[in-house]
Amino acid sequence: MIIVMENGATDAQIEGVVHKIKEFGLDANVSRGTERTVIGAIGDERKLDQEMIDALPGVENSMHIVKPYKIVAREWHKQNTVIDIRGIPLGGNQIQIIGGPCSVETPEQMEASAMYVKQAGCRLMRGGAFKPRTSPYTFQGKGVEGLDLFRKAADKYDLPIVTELMDVRMLDTFLEYDVDVIQIGTRNMQNFDLLKEVGRINKPVILKRGMSATISEWLMSAEYIAAGGNHNIIFCERGIRTYETYYRNVLDVTAVPVLKKETHLPVIIDPSHAGGKAWMVPALSRAAIAAGADGLLVEMHPKPCEAWCDADQALNPDELKSLMGELKGIAAVIGRSI
Ligand SMILES: [Mn+2]
């Protein structure tokens, strides 16, 4: 960390900053210029809180020189991390399209969904048993019964399952049903207690971006999971909230190359919740793959009009199939496969 002292800072104030740095076990290097004194803190600067340093008398400002996140940073891990999901690689050359309904509804709907997802060529399936809904009066998900329906339908087609965990009290149940990938939703991106708990297990975790989270906040949330020992983290951009109301959210495609630079972990895109309308999904999906995403999380329902949740944005089985074909073409152009 570099600390710039105010013009006219006294020796006692400079000494005060040096003392504070040493209290945290770091060394200090004082560089006295003609107008300003600059202090360099040498050691693990993550221990130093910028706000604490800035509050000291005589300090003008301070800045970290290393990233506040470590395990997830590409700085410390140059190669891409490829996450193994029951033998399916995510983060490597092969792009993974995770398809399935917004929510688990009935055994028939899940059976049909699994069949269509498989037929389209997807290797993983999504579906929500616990739904974070804006209104407490709308359908909240089938709960544990939904996990059971999902597991049975997906197993029949040998599809690993991706489903959202909202409440830490359900974690044991998720492990009991052997959920293959645990999704942390946009509303829980900074639920730090939940992040710590999924950090203690070894299941892959999809960490969706908070709808108003910065890249740095998102990376720090991933660091929470990683710090617990679970390094199987997949970032998922799902649209951010802006002043625009034409679409549900604004898909932040820029986040893909930025994350690819900042982290070695896989990055996927959810085009369904970004656009909020089925007709936008193919265009957003193509953009995501072209930008370098390692996969997609796409909503598909056997009969979108009858979906209990997010009916407007679900593709029908034929649309998913033709989207897969288009994406194969784009993947080939950038030297990847689907
Ligand atoms: Mn949904």
Side-chain angles (χ1 to χ4, degrees), residues 4-17:
V4 181
M5 301 301 290
E6 284 167 1
N7 187 3
T10 66
D11 283 350
Q13 289 172 335
I14 294 168
E15 203 36 58
V17 173

Side-chain angles (χ1 to χ4, degrees), residues 101-111 113 127-129 131 139 141-143 145-147 149-150 300-311 314:
C102 179
S103 57
V104 177
E105 297 164 8
T106 64
E108 297 73 29
Q109 169 249 9
M110 288 310 282
E111 154 81 36
S113 297
K131 302 301 301 175
F139 174 56
K142 294 280 268 193
E145 188 196 344
L147 281 185
L149 293 182
F150 191 4
M300 186 278 312
H301 194 280
K303 291 174 189 155
C305 303
E306 292 172 18
W308 297 2
C309 178
D310 287 350

Side-chain angles (χ1 to χ4, degrees), residues 212-322:
S212 55
T214 64
I215 298 279
S216 163
E217 287 166 341
W218 193 9
L219 286 159
M220 289 307 287
S221 287
E223 190 77 13
Y224 259 95
I225 300 172
N230 187 357
H231 297 185
N232 298 310
I233 306 160
I234 300 146
F235 288 87
C236 179
E237 155 64 29
R238 46 78 71 202
I240 51 174
R241 178 164 283 186
T242 72
Y243 52 82
E244 184 55 72
T245 54
Y246 194 103
Y247 22 86
R248 188 169 176 179
N249 293 284
V250 174
L251 177 62
D252 182 13
V253 181
T254 318
V256 178
V258 170
L259 278 184
K260 284 278 159 194
K261 180 173 177 285
E262 291 296 322
T263 178
H264 51 90
L265 295 164
V267 180
I268 65 172
I269 291 269
D270 172 349
S272 308
H273 290 88
K277 299 281 177 203
W279 61 265
M280 295 179 196
V281 170
L284 298 180
S285 301
R286 293 190 300 260
I289 299 307
D294 297 302
L296 298 178
L297 198 56
V298 184
E299 290 191 350
M300 186 278 312
H301 194 280
K303 291 174 189 155
C305 303
E306 292 172 18
W308 297 2
C309 178
D310 287 350
D312 249 17
Q313 67 192 37
L315 299 180
N316 66 35
D318 283 341
E319 288 167 337
L320 179 64
K321 212 177 206 173
S322 71

Side-chain angles (χ1 to χ4, degrees), residues 35-46:
E35 285 181 37
R36 287 273 197 283
T37 293
V38 174
I39 304 169
I42 303 156
D44 185 1
E45 62 163 54
R46 287 179 188 86

